[in-house]
Amino acid sequence: MQISSRFTIAIHVLTCIDTFQDEYKVTSDFLAGSVSVNPVVIRRLLQQLKAAGIVKVTRGSGGAEIAKPLSEITMFDVYKAVDSVGHGDLFHFHENPNKECPVGRNIHNVLDDKLNQIQNAMENTMKSITIQEIVEETKCYIQNES
Amino acid sequence: MQISSRFTIAIHVLTCIDTFQDEYKVTSDFLAGSVSVNPVVIRRLLQQLKAAGIVKVTRGSGGAEIAKPLSEITMFDVYKAVDSVGHGDLFHFHENPNKECPVGRNIHNVLDDKLNQIQNAMENTMKSITIQEIVEETKCYIQNES
DNA sequence: AGCGATGTAACAATTGACATTACAACAAGG
DNA sequence: CCTTGTTGTAATGTCAATTGTTACATCGCT
């Protein structure tokens, strides 16, 4: 299975908030319009980002803003915040290898190490990319349109 | 969502085939016993591994064997063979960002590049680990048991 | 108080993984 | 050549997660 689209939606949302915060009141309806999903999906997402300290959402009057400098938010932070994969681990290990079998009772020890290597390679790359980069590149694309 | 357990099962299966090929006839029932899943799950998996040229399966008389040297099979080969993630891509991009929105119509271009970087980091690590390493380490563990 | 938002529960629809049953196709031994 | 053990594969069921949607209580501001 693929990593939940919550991840790409979250990055889209953060980019929108930063890009439009001076021009518009950035509500869940506004964001839902840009992403093309139901506003409730956005609200749920914003709750997760808020819990991770990435955004602030103001009830009542409405609108979302980003809680800390974009350069301090990495793709990994977002990935974790929106719970992109279940249970924290990228790989799903089959639960009950047969303990009567020599391979069955040892495969977990051997594989865990390798799977962690792979997962770390991925997560480290995520940590090296900030949302700031993404926002800036997006602004470049937008300017080049005109 | 996590990567399908087919991936870890496949590696378990390859390790079993190599470990037990001289002692037993390695049938889908035998493998199913070690992994603790239904034999049909193993057969489907073996079909995928066979299509990728990783194993040979003999009908009728039964039994599976590995088709090429273990040192030439990487975790990435297995990952691809069993179709661990759908559609080839690790990330699920939300389909219809709003083209009326400057961010909506450009986010795909910006993000695709970053997502590929991440995916490549993961896949390259997979390519650097061979099944031979895994089999050998497993044998070490088994010997240290006695 | 009323308006415009958010927060969240409830529920349906869809999808994919995995388990299981059933049976046809096949290879080899007696 | 026919029985036996096995593979190949279709059909079906179950379960969990994602996503969409409706509904409404709650809240902040004017």
Side-chain angles (χ1 to χ4, degrees):
Chain A
M1 264 296 259
Q2 294 174 301
I3 288 173
S4 168
S5 66
R6 274 198 303 281
F7 180 53
T8 56
I9 293 178
I11 292 169
H12 184 151
V13 161
L14 292 173
T15 306
C16 270
I17 295 175
D18 185 78
T19 303
F20 297 117
Q21 61 188 345
D22 298 329
E23 283 176 86
Y24 302 96
K25 183 166 66 164
V26 185
T27 67
S28 60
D29 270 45
F30 178 88
L31 292 167
S34 174
V35 180
S36 291
V37 292
N38 194 288
V40 175
V41 173
I42 300 291
R43 286 184 216 143
R44 279 196 285 242
L45 193 63
L46 286 174
Q47 287 309 304
Q48 293 185 291
L49 292 172
K50 177 182 158 191
I54 295 174
V55 301
K56 287 180 194 158
V57 193
T58 42
R59 196 165 180 165
S61 56
E65 55 184 331
I66 297 179
K68 57 182 176 181
L70 288 180
S71 59
E72 292 174 21
I73 307 173
T74 68
M75 291 189 83
F76 181 68
D77 296 324
V78 177
Y79 173 80
K80 276 295 173 196
V82 303
D83 193 34
S84 305
V85 298
H87 316 76
D89 279 318
L90 182 59
F91 296 99
H92 178 20
F93 213 110
H94 50 293
E95 271 89 16
N96 306 306
N98 187 350
K99 297 248 187 302
E100 309 279 313
C101 167
V103 171
R105 66 173 168 266
N106 285 295
I107 192 72
H108 225 308
N109 288 328
V110 177
L111 258 189
D112 279 351
D113 175 50
K114 310 297 182 193
L115 297 180
N116 278 331
Q117 275 183 46
I118 297 166
Q119 185 170 329
N120 286 339
M122 185 182 114
E123 295 187 350
N124 286 336
T125 306
M126 283 193 183
K127 286 174 189 167
S128 75
I129 305 173
T130 68
I131 304 301
Q132 184 169 37
E133 291 174 55
I134 293 173
V135 167
E136 280 171 7
E137 279 187 41
T138 307
K139 282 177 183 162
C140 275
Y141 272 95
I142 294 174
Q143 281 176 0
N144 289 343
E145 281 182 338
S146 49
Chain B
M1 265 295 259
Q2 296 173 299
I3 287 171
S4 168
S5 65
R6 274 199 305 281
F7 180 52
T8 57
I9 294 178
I11 292 169
H12 184 151
V13 160
L14 292 174
T15 307
C16 270
I17 295 175
D18 185 78
T19 304
F20 297 119
Q21 62 187 345
D22 298 330
E23 284 176 84
Y24 303 95
K25 182 168 68 166
V26 186
T27 67
S28 60
D29 271 45
F30 178 88
L31 292 167
S34 174
V35 180
S36 291
V37 292
N38 195 287
V40 176
V41 174
I42 301 291
R43 285 184 218 144
R44 278 195 285 245
L45 194 62
L46 286 174
Q47 287 308 304
Q48 294 185 289
L49 293 172
K50 178 182 158 192
I54 295 175
V55 301
K56 286 180 194 159
V57 194
T58 43
R59 197 165 177 164
S61 55
E65 56 183 331
I66 297 179
K68 57 181 176 181
L70 288 179
S71 60
E72 292 175 19
I73 307 173
T74 69
M75 292 188 82
F76 181 68
D77 295 325
V78 178
Y79 172 80
K80 275 295 173 195
V82 302
D83 195 33
S84 304
V85 298
H87 315 78
D89 279 317
L90 183 59
F91 296 99
H92 178 20
F93 212 110
H94 50 292
E95 271 88 16
N96 305 307
N98 186 350
K99 296 248 186 302
E100 309 280 313
C101 167
V103 171
R105 66 174 168 263
N106 284 296
I107 193 71
H108 225 307
N109 287 328
V110 177
L111 258 188
D112 279 350
D113 175 50
K114 311 297 183 191
L115 298 179
N116 277 331
Q117 274 183 47
I118 297 166
Q119 186 169 330
N120 285 338
M122 186 183 108
E123 296 186 350
N124 287 336
T125 307
M126 284 193 182
K127 286 175 188 166
S128 75
I129 305 173
T130 68
I131 304 301
Q132 183 168 36
E133 291 175 54
I134 294 173
V135 167
E136 280 172 6
E137 279 185 42
T138 306
K139 282 177 182 161
C140 275
Y141 272 95
I142 294 174
Q143 281 177 1
N144 289 343
E145 280 182 339
S146 52

